[in-house]
Amino acid sequence: MKELPGTTGLLINEPLLWEKGRAGRCGFSFPRRDVEPASLDEALIGQVPDLPGLSEVDVVRHYTRLSQWNFCVDTGMYPLGSCTMKYNPKINEKMARLTGFATAHPLLPGRCSQGAMRLMFELERLLAEITGMNAVTLQPAAGAQGELTGMLIIHAFHEKNGQGRSKIIIPDTAHGTNPASAALCGFRAVPVKSNEQGILTPETIASVMNEDTAGIMVTNPNTLGLFEENIKQIAEIVHLRGGLVYCDGANLNAVMGIVDMGAMGVDLLHLNLHKTFSTPHGGGGPGSGPLCVNKQLEPFLPVPRPVQENGSFRLSEDFPDTIGRMHAFYGNFGVMIKAYSYIRSLGPDNLKKASQLAVLNANYVKESLKGVFHLPFDRPCMHECVFTDQFQRAFKVSTLDMVKRLMDYGFHPPTVYFPLVVNGAIMIEPTETESKEDLDLFIEACKAIVSEAEEKAPLLHEAPHKCIRGRLDETKAARQPCLTG
């Protein structure tokens, strides 16, 4: 197919529910009352909420029409990639909905939860094998909670060794949650800059590493989509001064089953199952941020931990050096099921191939758009490539203008203005699932938009034109949200 996917069609307009509602209209029938009426305690009575009166068909049509306005990964290319919405096989959703899993209660006795505990036990071992680490906890319910778990373990490790270290090194190419997680645990973040190639140098780390530094939080591949190729030397410098190396594994999609994190000198690594291992998490859906550690840090992992004894499974709290629980129960179990299904259905060879294809696709896009957009770091990238709007500023066209125009061509906008170290950043992550034909259409659309920027900039300033809603005031939406009628 050579025709660009963006077009127009019949979309039905839809007002707010409060504009649509009518007094007295109702779409729900209460069950027949089988008890005598009783008066409510005055203390429990409050103001009636402003809810619109709607029939069932009103509600069904409202949400169906809104869903038809949406662009999703099932309808087109989503260059936000694994950061938000990569395509995931539907078999994993089906596995998560199996009745035995989906209807299980977290307070079921262990003898009734053997399948769930076996899945958790085996998933921990699969993730350890994939990453080259020794032990795993599935308890953190999100990537940022995985980071916090890692910081608590680093603190507990140094405390057990009689050391009150207070600082954590954080590169400018780390994710924004890293300094927040360190600060939440009482550490002071020590920022360091990457070099002109977009990566860290051993000399930079050596200049700030001392006996008061608890460790380093390094994202690898980093947020520029580049592999930190000096990581082994950096780990040696940190270890020589008694520190620990924490790796933010949110970008594991590029190195899944290929890189041995333990051999690189990583002591702790968190993963985002909801990014890398099959769960779309755009829109704030449930996450899962397992933490992988090496042998010396395993005693500090959160409890309870799934253990196997005499062929059956149970949750054990018998780990005296543990940092304790991170929260009640055991995270978002449905995400674990999808990750387990993804790993078992692909197998080791295809997991590696998924990463290889993700990297190949990103480099194809990079080479195809180099010169069209400004490329701040002209070197092989990993699963994502970062451009800027530098060439288009002369025409007073910004990154935001160009990605809004992409919607008219039938593509979801990529990540913009991140990473923060790149001014006017356009980060494109095509993922492993897009075909060459789809990538070529995306590239063709980008080139067409750049031509428009030079010849008819106002068209871009007012984009999108084909969507049911035009350019929104995003600042006002963020500062003055109106969530009710």
Side-chain angles (χ1 to χ4, degrees), residues 147 151 168-171 173-191 217 219 248:
E147 294 175 20
M151 292 298 100
I168 291 282
I169 300 170
I170 300 184
T173 52
H175 282 111
T177 48
N178 287 185
S181 299
L184 198 59
C185 199
F187 291 118
R188 180 168 67 84
V190 178
M217 292 184 85
T219 301
D248 181 325

Side-chain angles (χ1 to χ4, degrees), residues 154 157-158 161 163-167 169 202-216 233-245 267 296:
I154 289 177
F157 171 81
H158 288 306
N161 291 324
Q163 298 177 342
R165 300 189 177 218
S166 63
K167 296 186 291 188
I169 300 170
E203 293 76 18
T204 301
I205 302 306
S207 68
V208 295
M209 184 67 206
N210 56 35
E211 279 69 23
D212 193 32
T213 306
I216 183 172
Q233 292 168 269
I234 289 170
E236 289 172 357
I237 292 167
V238 173
H239 289 154
L240 194 62
R241 295 292 189 96
L244 295 171
V245 176
D267 300 298
Q296 69 172 343

Side-chain angles (χ1 to χ4, degrees), residues 48-229:
V48 177
D50 177 25
L51 297 178
L54 298 160
S55 68
E56 180 178 307
V57 71
D58 288 336
V59 175
V60 170
R61 285 178 179 168
H62 178 78
Y63 288 107
T64 301
R65 289 171 181 174
L66 292 188
S67 73
Q68 290 168 340
W69 296 1
N70 279 341
F71 185 97
C72 66
V73 73
D74 289 346
T75 58
M77 182 174 167
Y78 225 90
L80 288 165
S82 64
C83 276
T84 300
M85 194 70 79
K86 78 170 186 177
Y87 181 82
N88 290 300
K90 301 307 177 198
I91 183 66
N92 305 319
E93 300 286 339
K94 185 176 181 180
M95 293 299 105
R97 291 172 188 166
L98 289 175
T99 304
F101 287 138
T103 61
H105 192 280
L107 291 179
L108 276 175
R111 60 185 171 76
C112 299
S113 308
Q114 286 297 297
M117 282 195 280
R118 177 181 173 182
L119 184 146
M120 292 161 59
F121 183 85
E122 292 185 0
L123 180 58
E124 286 186 355
R125 273 140 193 82
L126 288 169
L127 295 176
E129 182 179 348
I130 289 168
T131 58
M133 303 299 286
N134 296 110
V136 177
T137 175
L138 301 173
Q139 202 170 121
Q145 195 178 32
E147 294 175 20
L148 177 61
T149 306
M151 292 298 100
L152 290 169
I153 288 177
I154 289 177
H155 183 272
F157 171 81
H158 288 306
E159 188 176 51
K160 186 174 176 64
N161 291 324
Q163 298 177 342
R165 300 189 177 218
S166 63
K167 296 186 291 188
I168 291 282
I169 300 170
I170 300 184
D172 58 1
T173 52
H175 282 111
T177 48
N178 287 185
S181 299
L184 198 59
C185 199
F187 291 118
R188 180 168 67 84
V190 178
V192 293
K193 290 185 179 298
S194 48
N195 67 6
E196 66 281 357
Q197 294 185 309
I199 60 173
L200 294 171
T201 64
E203 293 76 18
T204 301
I205 302 306
S207 68
V208 295
M209 184 67 206
N210 56 35
E211 279 69 23
D212 193 32
T213 306
I216 183 172
M217 292 184 85
V218 56
T219 301
N220 198 14
N222 66 27
T223 57
L224 292 169
L226 304 174
F227 189 77
E228 293 286 354
E229 55 196 51

Side-chain angles (χ1 to χ4, degrees), residues 7 75 94 128 146 224 244 294 323 329 373 384 413 423 425 448 465 470 475:
T7 186
T75 58
K94 185 176 181 180
L224 292 169
L244 295 171
N294 62 16
I323 60 169
F329 304 113
F373 296 127
E384 56 198 9
N423 187 20
H465 301 278
T475 303

Side-chain angles (χ1 to χ4, degrees), residues 16 18 477 480-485:
L16 296 174
W18 283 268
Q480 300 174 26
C482 178
L483 305 179
T484 67

Side-chain angles (χ1 to χ4, degrees), residues 263-325:
M264 290 196 318
V266 171
D267 300 298
L268 311 90
L269 164 79
H270 94 260
L271 310 174
N272 287 350
L273 293 189
H274 52 279
K275 289 178 61 172
T276 309
F277 296 99
S278 181
T279 294
H281 78 300
S288 181
L291 183 74
C292 314
V293 298
N294 62 16
K295 201 67 181 173
Q296 69 172 343
L297 298 179
E298 182 176 358
F300 301 98
L301 287 176
V303 291
R305 297 180 57 192
V307 296
Q308 184 179 28
E309 288 177 350
N310 302 320
S312 63
F313 301 89
R314 67 180 178 87
L315 294 175
S316 172
E317 303 210 18
D318 188 18
F319 297 93
D321 288 330
T322 177
I323 60 169
R325 282 176 177 266

